[in-house]
Amino acid sequence: MTNSTAADRSEIPTIIAEMVPEAEGVVSLHLEPEGDDKLPVWDPGAHIDLVLGDDLVRQYSLCGDPTDLSSWKIGVLREPESRGGSSYVHDTLRVGDRVLCRGPRNNFTLADAGEYLFIAGGIGITPILPMLRSCETAGKPWRLVYGGRQRASMSFLDELATYGERVTVWPQDSHGILDLEDLLGTPRAGTQIYCCGPGGLLDAVEERCGIWPAGTLHLERFRPQDGALDGKNTAFELVLDYSDVTITVSPEQTIAEAVEAAGVHLPTSCREGTCGTCETVVLEGEPDHRDSYLTPEEKASNEVMMPCCSRSFSSRLVLDL
């Protein structure tokens, strides 16, 4: 769990130095800091926000070299059902444009382990790339299985080819669906599993990893888990402790909407519980966690919550806002 800070919520001006086609529908952006400043330090698994407009903020995983603070690299898939972000990047942004960024933040950190199994689907390869470099530097054994609809739509294949047989490229049109039973059917002590990709793949991997030791599997979701946002909406009292404000959250409002209506600033981005921007400390009450960001253990602790989508089981909720 990574709490948001003033630093990772501030906006960093960058310039697009390069835009490179990486596969069908995928382009990489190379972002350099405006001026002579270095970019903030980051670790494999981190993501940044691209501030594309007043109400258009999207999250993208950093996929470049964490030791290079002179530039950031992200990969952007043109989503068939884009909500505006990916189409804006592909159709509007050009080399030389100024783009504001926020972050980086990381809830997909690479834990120390004896060996690693990486499973990526489609654009989910992006946060995995710096993890592979980190494993190489540390001399850790690893294996990657990378699936996609077809080879032409799978990005960064030239980079992955340098790793040889440790990488298995699995286009679905020629190989069928990933054989998760073969990959995950037998638990191995000391192995950590990292998976990023479409929701169907993540759900299937999560189900298969039920027989593995707790804490083995690490997931990063680009979309809310199925059913995560569902639930009964009732009104409750919300106390903003730092601001000394008490309000009522109606059944038709999210906490974030109620907080904003009260004139209190709450940084948000995805508005669906996947990015972690609005992570807030809970002082009293029982949150109704509806995010797809916190782990089950973090949700059970009730130490923090995501006000953009979560609600309250208790009639009174006190937040550190």
Side-chain angles (χ1 to χ4, degrees), residues 82-100:
S82 173
R83 297 172 298 153
S86 70
S87 60
Y88 186 92
V89 170
H90 280 259
D91 298 335
T92 303
L93 291 183
R94 295 294 180 264
V95 171
D97 285 352
R98 183 177 188 264
V99 181
L100 295 177

Side-chain angles (χ1 to χ4, degrees), residues 44 65-67 110 116 129-142 163 166:
D65 182 357
T67 67
L110 189 63
Y116 299 88
L129 292 173
M131 293 184 177
L132 305 184
R133 298 189 194 100
S134 178
C135 288
E136 285 290 280
T137 301
K140 295 283 190 176
W142 59 271
Y163 295 120
R166 285 172 293 178

Side-chain angles (χ1 to χ4, degrees), residues 110-118 131 134-136 138-143 166 188-194 212 215-216 218:
L110 189 63
D112 186 40
E115 65 175 317
Y116 299 88
L117 171 61
F118 299 102
M131 293 184 177
S134 178
C135 288
E136 285 290 280
K140 295 283 190 176
W142 59 271
R143 179 189 178 193
R166 285 172 293 178
R188 297 188 299 279
T191 299
Q192 292 285 296
I193 302 170
Y194 283 78
W212 288 68
T216 295
H218 308 263

